[in-house]
């Protein structure tokens, strides 16, 4: 395979496109769409969002030291895009999108009711990287939709919520199911010849 070498750039894809809700009172609530986000530690549960200082949401998050990451779905694609191209300086994004703010359990920022999973975060550190400042944050609560919890197993069926992906400027929903974590080393009925000798029992990162 012949490779072409490009100058440095941001090409880690696919990513989620999440809606981050912020603000402490209804008049001041805002939503910003963010793709520069991810998990950075399992215990304590920590994540980050990277936001440009010129965003309306930047000052709100910096001032209050908290926000909520709301996962998005195919159904929420329009609102996700809209909140990523319009500013809270000019619009009340909850009003314009019809999304519903509901009280979170710990932080003052609202959850977006229509999102299947809401992650309440408290900012621990702000790293001024350049174009974006990274809010390194602790997850203080996770809220899930009751109807997505399987009544028999208690398992949260996030796979049934049609999560949204963002890849190189385009939105997609999640494609076909391929396998569970660890499927590559799982014992199979028929012996595989290329199988490593020891079974790897590592847990997810
Ligand atoms: C898919 C998508 C991903 C985005 N990711 C980020 C991001 O990670 N960080 C950021 O600062 N802005 C990001 N933006 C841009 C902001 O969402 C956008 O500038 C928004 O209008 C800011 O809203 P605000 O001014 O109300 O805070 C993204 C936009 C879209 C559509």
């Amino acid at each position: 395979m012949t490779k072409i070498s490009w100058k440095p750039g941001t090409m880690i894809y696919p990513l989620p496109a999440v809606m981050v809700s912020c603000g402490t009172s209804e008049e001041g609530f805002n939503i910003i769409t963010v793709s520069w986000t991810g998990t950075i530690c399992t215990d304590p549960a920590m994540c980050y969002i990277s936001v440009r200082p010129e965003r309306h949401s930047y000052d709100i998050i910096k001032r209050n030291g908290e926000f909520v990451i709301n996962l998005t779905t195919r159904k929420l694609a329009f609102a996700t895009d809209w909140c990523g191209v319009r500013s809270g300086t000019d619009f009340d994004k909850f009003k314009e999108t019809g999304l519903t703010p509901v009280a979170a359990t710990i932080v003052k920022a609202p959850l977006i009711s229509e999102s299947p999973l809401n992650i309440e975060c408290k900012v621990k550190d702000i790293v001024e990287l350049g174009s974006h400042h990274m809010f390194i944050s602790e997850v203080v609560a996770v809220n899930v939709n009751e109807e997505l919890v399987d009544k028999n197993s208690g398992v949260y069926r996030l796979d049934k919520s049609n999560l949204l992906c963002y890849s190189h400027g385009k939105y997609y929903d999640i494609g076909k199911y391929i396998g569970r974590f660890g499927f590559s080393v799982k014992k199979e009925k028929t012996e595989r010849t290329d199988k490593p000798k020891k079974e790897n029992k590592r847990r997810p990162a």
Side-chain angles (χ1 to χ4, degrees), residues 30 33 35-36 50 52 55-57 84 86-88 93 171:
N30 195 36
T33 299
S35 264
W36 296 170
S50 277
R52 284 184 186 265
R55 309 289 189 229
H56 181 65
S57 306
R86 290 287 178 264
S87 178
K93 295 198 196 176
Y171 303 99

Side-chain angles (χ1 to χ4, degrees), residues 16-18 30-37 49-58 80-89 91 93 132 166 171:
V18 299
N30 195 36
I31 305 170
I32 172 173
T33 299
V34 164
S35 264
W36 296 170
T37 183
I49 57 168
S50 277
V51 180
R52 284 184 186 265
E54 56 266 34
R55 309 289 189 229
H56 181 65
S57 306
Y58 178 89
T80 303
D81 187 64
W82 200 87
C83 290
V85 292
R86 290 287 178 264
S87 178
T89 320
F91 295 97
K93 295 198 196 176
H132 290 67
Y166 181 68
Y171 303 99

